[in-house]
Structures are given as C-alpha cells and as structure tokens.
Amino acid sequence: FFVFDHRVEVPLRDGQPDHLLGPGGQGPGADPGHIRQKSQFHHARRPGQVFPNLKEEANPLMGSLWGQACKYASVLVGWLIMARPPRIEFPGAFYHVIVRGNQRQHIFLDEQDRREFLNRVQRYKKELGFILYAFTLMSNHLHLLIETPEVPISKIMQRINLTYTQFFNKKYSTVGHIFQGRYKSFLCDREEYLLSLARYIHLNPVRAKLVEHPHEYKWSSHRDYLSGGKGLVEVSRVLRMFSKE
C-alpha cells in the first residue's frame, strides 16, 4: 500500500524500523532525533501496519484520531485479505470439483477405500439429487464433474468428504483432516465444456502414466461410457455430444 503524505519533517526515534538516514540525509545509522524529510509517496511501515503512524506534532487529538483510524484500517484490510471468497451456487450450476490429499498424502490406500468413497457418492447422489457426469479417483486426489439441480455444491461435498474422512480415520487409526483445505470447484458452462472436461478427467491416469489407455483404468467413469451407462454417472448427454461430432 502506498500512502500519500504531504512533505513534513518528522524526527526519527529509537527503535523505529523505517529506513534511517545518516547525517546529510544518506546511509543508515542516523543518530536518534536526526531530522529527515519524508518523500511524497512512501511505504515504510512496521510489519502488519497498513499506514505508518503520524507523530502528534501540533494537535495531540488529531494524532490520536489518526492512530485509531490506522488501527481499524489495518484490521479491515487484513480481514479482506484473509476472508475466503464465497462460492457461487445456484440451481443447475455445473462444476469441475478437485479434491486433494492433505500435504499431498494419499487419500486412497487400497481398493476398499475407493469403493467406500464411491459408495458415499452414490448414496448422496440419491439423497441430494445431484447429477454426476464423470469421475476419476487417483491416489492423492480426485476429480468429479457435477451438476447441482437443487442442493448446493458446498453441502454435497461436505457430506461426502466428512463421512469418508470418518471412515478413513477409523480404519487407519488416524486423526485430523485427510483433504487439503477446501476442495476446488470451478463453475463452468455445461454446454460448452462438458465434453472437454469429461475427456480431461478420463485422461488423468494416462497423463500420470498409470495406464496407456483410459479404459484400462478401473477407478474412473470411462468404462461406464463404454458400456452405455446404467451406473453411477449420467452418460447420455455426453454421448449425444460425441454423436454430433
């Protein structure tokens, strides 16, 4: 933050962490009380300060009021920086969801773990009424392509991630989070990106060099498309797009 300041002469005091000027106005190591002139635009401030403190030169009351204003401004700007932006949620929204393991650790250690996760997806898909177009479960992350006709994505992912975390911690006698912070959900245009995102998700194991062809990977929805559906994912819309191409 750059703060506009009129040119004023301000005495520097002991312990002030600004850029001290030596005698003659150059170099560090000035004696306490040395007079320097502030530049018109400056950003010298203590860590955590948005605005440097102004000295109470003429009017102590004005100096006190300015100090309070700087304090509240620092708190406000800090809150704005740290606050997480709200997710965009509305009926019919279409998301590419990515969930990663905490500190890049594996979230699936065996086939049972993957089955348990998909069981939860199926359970809440029926309960909350979302549409799943594609998925891929890797070792330390996963991809879901989801449409939310009614229930918001935040509630869907909270149910899935929470219950899977409980299962994982109980099975492996661990505690705490297994997922890395908040999941990522990218709001997309379904008609424009559905086909390309389904391809991207199904090619994840190929890019990771786990298999040579996507149908060889067991833990993705690619095989559902080859069999014509009737499984966890909704394949008809994507297959219609393939036929148009």
Side-chain angles (χ1 to χ4, degrees):
F1 292 88
F2 288 86
V3 182
F4 178 83
D5 187 19
H6 295 292
R7 291 180 176 271
V8 293
E9 290 187 344
V10 181
L12 299 180
R13 300 173 183 172
D14 284 323
Q16 186 170 354
D18 291 340
H19 305 292
L20 298 178
L21 301 180
Q26 294 181 351
D31 295 329
H34 177 69
I35 303 297
R36 71 167 168 95
Q37 191 176 60
K38 285 189 176 182
S39 61
Q40 187 175 10
F41 292 96
H42 67 88
H43 60 281
R45 63 185 188 276
R46 294 181 179 87
Q49 281 188 310
V50 175
F51 305 106
N53 290 332
L54 293 184
K55 304 298 182 288
E56 301 177 9
E57 300 174 29
N59 190 334
L61 177 60
M62 290 301 296
S64 177
L65 291 175
W66 177 258
Q68 290 296 319
C70 291
K71 176 181 176 181
Y72 290 121
S74 298
V75 173
L76 176 60
V77 173
W79 180 84
L80 290 173
I81 293 173
M82 296 301 294
R84 298 184 300 186
R87 297 189 187 277
I88 301 175
E89 298 177 328
F90 56 88
F94 176 70
Y95 302 94
H96 176 200
V97 177
I98 304 175
V99 184
R100 298 187 182 278
N102 192 28
Q103 298 181 349
R104 300 184 179 182
Q105 71 178 9
H106 286 191
I107 54 179
F108 305 114
L109 302 184
D110 58 24
E111 292 194 355
Q112 182 193 14
D113 295 347
R114 290 176 168 86
R115 284 195 297 268
E116 287 290 338
F117 185 85
L118 292 179
N119 287 342
R120 282 158 175 76
V121 172
Q122 187 170 29
R123 170 186 169 186
Y124 291 114
K125 176 175 176 285
K126 183 177 180 180
E127 182 178 320
L128 303 178
F130 64 86
I131 302 171
L132 181 65
Y133 291 105
F135 71 86
T136 291
L137 308 185
M138 306 294 283
S139 296
N140 62 356
H141 72 282
L142 62 96
H143 296 262
L144 302 172
L145 202 55
I146 292 179
E147 182 179 342
T148 58
E150 297 179 3
V151 179
I153 189 67
S154 56
K155 186 174 182 179
I156 294 169
M157 295 309 302
Q158 181 187 36
R159 296 280 187 89
I160 295 173
N161 288 353
L162 176 61
T163 57
Y164 180 75
T165 298
Q166 292 171 342
F167 157 79
F168 187 95
N169 285 339
K170 183 178 180 180
K171 177 180 177 180
Y172 295 105
S173 300
T174 56
V175 295
H177 301 285
I178 66 169
F179 297 116
Q180 178 182 302
R182 291 206 306 177
Y183 60 91
K184 294 182 179 180
S185 60
F186 301 95
L187 182 64
C188 307
D189 183 281
R190 184 187 62 194
E191 298 305 321
E192 185 172 355
Y193 293 104
L194 175 57
L195 183 56
S196 59
L197 284 172
R199 285 171 171 163
Y200 172 84
I201 289 173
H202 291 151
L203 287 173
N204 242 252
V206 178
R207 286 192 297 271
K209 298 182 179 180
L210 299 178
V211 293
E212 188 174 351
H213 303 287
H215 69 268
E216 298 172 353
Y217 192 70
K218 183 178 179 180
W219 302 104
S220 81
S221 55
H222 190 269
R223 294 185 179 184
D224 292 335
Y225 281 91
L226 296 179
S227 64
K230 297 182 181 180
L232 187 59
V233 297
E234 167 58 48
V235 304
S236 58
R237 186 183 295 271
V238 175
L239 292 178
R240 285 198 299 269
M241 290 182 172
F242 271 112
S243 64
K244 290 179 181 179
E245 290 193 350

